[in-house]
Amino acid sequence: MGLSSREAAEVARVNQSGRQPVVFVHGLWLLPSSWTPWQALFEEEGYAALAADWPDDPETVGDARARPEAFAGKSVGMVTDHVREVVQGLTRPPVLVGHSFGGLIVQQLAGEGLARATVAIDPAPFKGVLPLPLSALRASSPVLLDPRNYRRQVMLSEAQFRYAFTNALDEDEAHRLYDEYAVPCSGIPLFQAATANFNPRAATRVDVHRAGRGPMLIVSGEKDHTVPWALANAAYKKQRKNADPTEVVEIDGRGHSLVIDSGWRGVADAALEFLGKHDAD
């Protein structure tokens, strides 16, 4: 599909900067703009930061809600191919930072040897991650309970977003985040993740043994319903088989909204500390 005009301009800017690139990848029900505070912080810390689209991402939350059909039909493979195109347009291997399904995608690209280092925040499970926590099943049920959603876009109600993302926040902040950030999503990725361990050609496969994968940090929110500790820790146990450094950290009192809520800075600081420790800055 090619890069959006915004992405192409950002890739050119990052390349011209000569600084270490960092590429942010969002997950379901969010847009690239959800990374705006992270981008500003990483720029202050000396990185050249850009946020990747998913194919056909609208530019704003308002546009996304007005054109929900733009999200339908986007698979994990399509998104990974698109982000790979962004990464391959850079003159230096980037740090990859992803949240939720973005956290899965950055692990896939790291497994292809395309990352300087990787931070996967509450990452969606890849093939071989076996736990099935009840909270994760409930969080994904608005999509998975109706097979017709495979090819559809799905918008969470505010109550569903509250359970899946903002359960660790007070009502006021939860309401504000829903208004400011929540958008529809493609149903396909959740079906692909749910069936991965029964599919030998699963789209969510990750090469955890790849030489030159680079350092990797997996971040888990203690109160995350969507990707609870059991899933994040299972991914860590798979990834630590790699020869490169692999770490996992659990952030106290945080839910799946940990990259967009008022505590985002603490999560970003943990990522920056890891990257600095492994000379990925």
Side-chain angles (χ1 to χ4, degrees):
M1 291 185 178
L3 305 189
S4 68
S5 58
R6 180 193 66 80
E7 288 173 307
E10 286 293 278
V11 166
R13 178 187 64 81
V14 167
N15 285 338
Q16 290 167 6
S17 76
R19 292 178 286 158
Q20 172 61 54
V22 55
V23 176
F24 295 97
V25 185
H26 69 85
L28 299 178
W29 291 296
L30 296 176
L31 290 175
S33 55
S34 62
W35 291 112
T36 298
W38 287 70
Q39 290 177 259
L41 174 62
F42 273 66
E43 291 274 345
E44 291 172 6
E45 294 295 324
Y47 293 89
L50 68 94
D53 289 339
W54 285 31
D56 301 321
D57 267 351
E59 291 190 9
T60 68
V61 170
D63 291 342
R65 292 181 177 180
R67 296 190 298 112
E69 66 280 358
F71 295 92
K74 304 304 188 297
S75 67
V76 170
M78 291 172 64
V79 180
T80 303
D81 288 347
H82 183 85
V83 179
R84 184 188 300 108
E85 186 174 355
V86 173
V87 168
Q88 291 178 330
L90 298 170
T91 55
R92 298 172 59 182
V95 170
L96 298 176
V97 181
H99 171 246
S100 197
F101 267 91
L104 164 64
I105 289 161
V106 298
Q107 289 180 84
Q108 289 185 313
L109 296 176
E112 297 175 13
L114 296 177
R116 171 66 185 86
T118 305
V119 179
I121 303 168
D122 286 338
F126 55 82
K127 180 177 172 62
V129 171
L130 299 178
L132 289 171
L134 289 176
S135 69
L137 293 173
R138 178 178 169 185
S140 60
S141 64
V143 175
L144 296 179
L145 286 179
D146 187 345
R148 295 174 297 177
N149 286 335
Y150 184 82
R151 291 291 180 184
R152 293 175 172 174
Q153 75 279 353
V154 179
M155 179 66 180
L156 295 180
S157 69
E158 187 166 356
Q160 290 166 339
F161 192 81
R162 182 84 164 109
Y163 183 84
F165 276 78
T166 57
N167 57 292
L169 307 177
D170 64 38
E171 291 288 347
D172 288 344
E173 185 173 10
H175 178 71
R176 177 179 63 80
L177 293 182
Y178 183 77
D179 283 349
E180 292 183 5
Y181 289 104
V183 297
C185 78
S186 171
I188 296 177
L190 282 166
F191 283 96
Q192 289 180 310
T195 60
N197 291 323
F198 308 101
N199 181 359
R201 299 175 61 84
T204 62
R205 289 171 293 174
V206 169
D207 183 354
V208 301
H209 300 288
R210 171 69 183 242
R213 183 208 67 187
M216 180 176 290
L217 174 66
I218 295 175
V219 180
S220 177
E222 178 198 10
K223 295 186 177 181
D224 193 329
H225 284 161
T226 301
V227 185
W229 170 257
L231 289 174
N233 191 47
Y236 163 70
K237 289 178 178 178
K238 295 284 186 182
Q239 289 285 7
R240 71 181 178 185
K241 298 175 184 177
N242 194 280
D244 285 329
T246 308
E247 298 180 17
V248 65
V249 61
E250 185 177 53
I251 308 294
D252 292 343
R254 309 301 300 287
H256 203 60
S257 65
L258 76 176
V259 298
I260 58 171
D261 62 36
S262 57
W264 71 270
R265 178 62 189 264
V267 186
D269 285 343
L272 287 165
E273 180 181 357
F274 173 83
L275 297 172
K277 181 168 66 173
H278 294 286
D279 299 318
D281 50 12

